[in-house]
Amino acid sequence: MKYSIYLDNNATTPLDPRVFDAMLPILKEHFGNPASVSHEYGWYAGELVEVARERLARTISASPEEIIFTSGATESINLALQGAIHHSISTKKNIKPHVITAGTEHKATLDTLRLLAERGEIQLTETGLSKTGEISLIDIELAFKPNTVLVSLLLANNEIGTLHPIHDFSKLTRLRGALLHCDATQAIGKLPVSVETLGVDLLSLSAHKIYGPKGIGALYLRKSTTEKKISPLLHGGGHEHGLRSGTLNVPGIVGLGVAAELAEKERATVSGQLRELSKKFLEILSAAGAKFELNGPPLENRLPGNLNLYFPKTTSARLLSSLQGKVACSSSAACSSAAGRSSHVLSALGFTTERIQSSIRIGIGRFNTASEIQKAGDLIAELVQT
Ligand code: PLP
């Protein structure tokens, strides 16, 4: 099968060969269960997990004991949100917890919180947004109530690349005694992600967005503010400090550790390269006379590599169908595309149905070349004018 030019790196990224090389011996030989404490198979697997935990912790300036391995960012987000909410409900029985988020968050956050609100378990506020998806400190301050226990926001949006000033929000949440969860899934390897600088209490991430394997992620839990304040979702063997039962995915964990270390080491170079390629892509469209508008903030203020473009003369369905076998990109997040829904993010920004249905997301990644960007840009410029 001949593959098209891959420009959907916000949906997932290819596995870095260095990550693959680190995982291969674990898949082939080192099959031990880290919970088997009576023999060398288990001891070695346990050592591998702890080395990966240290690697990941170092990447985000956390301590190893503050890292819990999960199956991906969706699970991390669910554990952070449901864990904090259910703990609050069980300890403060007469007070319904209030949670603050935004309508542009990933579905893992929105669907979880909206379901809990529908069931009457929480009060939910979705903050105001600018036309490009920014949230101001005032918006958050206005949303606060005496019973606010949790604020959950992205560091970088996966569809429109908007960045949130999480370090400013964390000062407020700390002052008001609420926990701050940050979904940093798209930001790792492209923006500085230090839990110290950001001041977050909980942070979710996933390996497959940083050239690691699928099905593995992690949740950071600040020890000083979250200890004994998060109830587990999964019960069983009591793995991961009792917060996430289930036999650990050792090859995945090793892959995540290596991917995270490489992502941080190469961040400055990679984000510069992604910004350059994004600029080049827009220049190609402009030079060819294509009519387009950028959804979300301007290039200098957005997640490197992410573009979301409105083409008034076509529809995304038509464009994506013409691009099949040539360029792989998408009309919205992979989970919305899979469910056949149009972008909830563009809709939260108040865009018309016509604009939403004529917008596509381009996700440029570390493995894309200037010549691929040229080819894809030329082709898209031609298609949107015919
Ligand atoms: N959060 C963001 C911002 C994402 O882009 C994604 C991936 O689609 C997720 C969460 C979910 O990640 P995972 O696929 O690891 O469950």
Side-chain angles (χ1 to χ4, degrees):
M1 179 168 166
K2 190 180 166 294
Y3 279 108
S4 49
I5 297 171
Y6 186 71
L7 293 182
D8 205 9
N9 286 276
N10 294 119
T12 194
T13 52
L15 191 68
D16 186 311
R18 295 168 292 180
V19 175
F20 175 75
D21 288 346
M23 291 173 69
L24 197 59
I26 325 294
L27 287 160
K28 280 167 87 172
E29 295 160 46
H30 307 299
F31 60 87
N33 181 340
S36 302
V37 292
S38 55
H39 50 70
E40 68 276 20
Y41 293 93
W43 301 332
Y44 187 58
E47 266 172 48
L48 291 169
V49 167
E50 293 321 310
V51 168
R53 201 187 301 278
E54 274 167 32
R55 282 196 161 124
L56 176 59
R58 212 176 308 120
T59 305
I60 58 169
S61 313
S63 302
E65 67 272 19
E66 296 177 311
I67 302 289
I68 295 294
F69 290 114
T70 64
S71 62
T74 300
E75 187 191 327
S76 301
I77 293 167
N78 272 269
L79 174 57
L81 304 182
Q82 298 200 50
I85 289 164
H86 287 143
H87 181 268
S88 169
I89 293 172
S90 67
T91 49
K92 294 181 210 141
K93 293 213 161 40
N94 302 322
I95 304 170
K96 187 185 279 196
H98 173 243
V99 181
I100 301 171
T101 191
T104 44
E105 291 294 301
H106 189 271
K107 283 283 183 174
T109 298
L110 274 184
D111 285 1
T112 303
L113 293 177
R114 285 176 180 168
L115 181 70
L116 295 179
E118 245 171 65
R119 285 187 188 154
E121 291 185 37
I122 60 166
Q123 254 184 306
L124 181 63
T125 300
E126 294 177 22
T127 64
L129 295 159
S130 77
K131 266 280 165 218
T132 46
E134 277 94 5
I135 299 165
S136 69
L137 190 58
I138 307 274
D139 287 324
I140 306 281
E141 213 157 2
L142 286 174
F144 254 90
K145 295 181 193 289
N147 55 332
T148 306
V149 294
L150 180 67
V151 176
S152 183
L153 292 167
L154 284 156
L155 187 50
N157 188 284
N158 50 308
E159 289 195 36
I160 50 168
T162 309
L163 311 179
H164 292 149
I166 295 294
H167 57 284
D168 292 340
F169 300 160
S170 67
K171 290 186 198 115
L172 180 66
T173 51
R174 192 71 54 87
L175 204 69
R176 299 290 189 95
L179 293 177
L180 177 59
H181 167 253
C182 175
D183 175 359
T185 307
Q186 294 282 345
I188 310 267
K190 295 179 206 142
L191 302 168
V193 180
S194 150
V195 293
E196 280 320 309
T197 314
L198 293 172
V200 293
D201 302 292
L202 299 149
L203 182 137
S204 295
L205 57 91
S206 180
H208 76 99
K209 307 286 183 176
I210 55 169
Y211 309 90
K214 291 167 187 56
I216 185 74
L219 176 66
Y220 156 80
L221 302 103
R222 182 178 294 277
K223 197 159 189 257
S224 60
T225 55
T226 66
E227 199 168 26
K228 302 204 172 70
K229 286 196 184 161
I230 306 291
S231 306
L233 292 181
L234 302 181
H235 301 270
H239 308 72
E240 300 294 271
H241 309 302
L243 281 173
R244 204 279 184 176
S245 285
T247 301
L248 294 176
N249 168 2
V250 184
I253 289 170
V254 168
L256 171 56
V258 174
E261 199 169 76
L262 290 170
E264 179 52 20
K265 203 165 121 213
E266 297 172 1
R267 176 170 56 81
T269 318
V270 168
S271 52
Q273 173 199 340
L274 298 184
R275 279 186 209 282
E276 269 309 302
L277 292 177
S278 303
K279 193 163 143 255
K280 181 178 165 78
F281 189 83
L282 297 188
E283 283 167 2
I284 293 166
L285 294 184
S286 300
K291 275 194 96 186
F292 70 91
E293 282 172 41
L294 193 57
N295 296 322
L299 277 194
E300 58 280 12
N301 296 337
R302 70 193 281 145
L303 178 69
N306 168 275
L307 293 171
N308 195 310
L309 300 166
Y310 164 50
F311 294 108
K313 288 176 115 185
T314 188
T315 63
S316 51
R318 215 179 112 206
L319 184 54
L320 293 176
S321 136
S322 309
L323 288 172
Q324 266 179 30
K326 298 172 190 125
V327 176
C329 53
S330 56
S331 58
S332 59
C335 49
S336 299
S337 306
R341 291 184 298 233
S342 61
S343 165
H344 73 280
V345 174
L346 296 183
S347 140
L349 297 185
F351 288 151
T352 60
T353 311
E354 183 273 322
R355 183 167 179 138
I356 296 170
Q357 289 178 351
S358 298
S359 293
I360 62 162
R361 178 179 72 169
I362 306 273
I364 300 171
R366 196 212 273 169
F367 292 118
N368 287 125
T369 60
S371 110
E372 285 181 325
I373 296 302
Q374 184 72 49
K375 274 192 207 143
D378 286 343
L379 181 61
I380 291 174
E382 189 192 317
L383 288 171
V384 298
Q385 295 183 82
T386 51

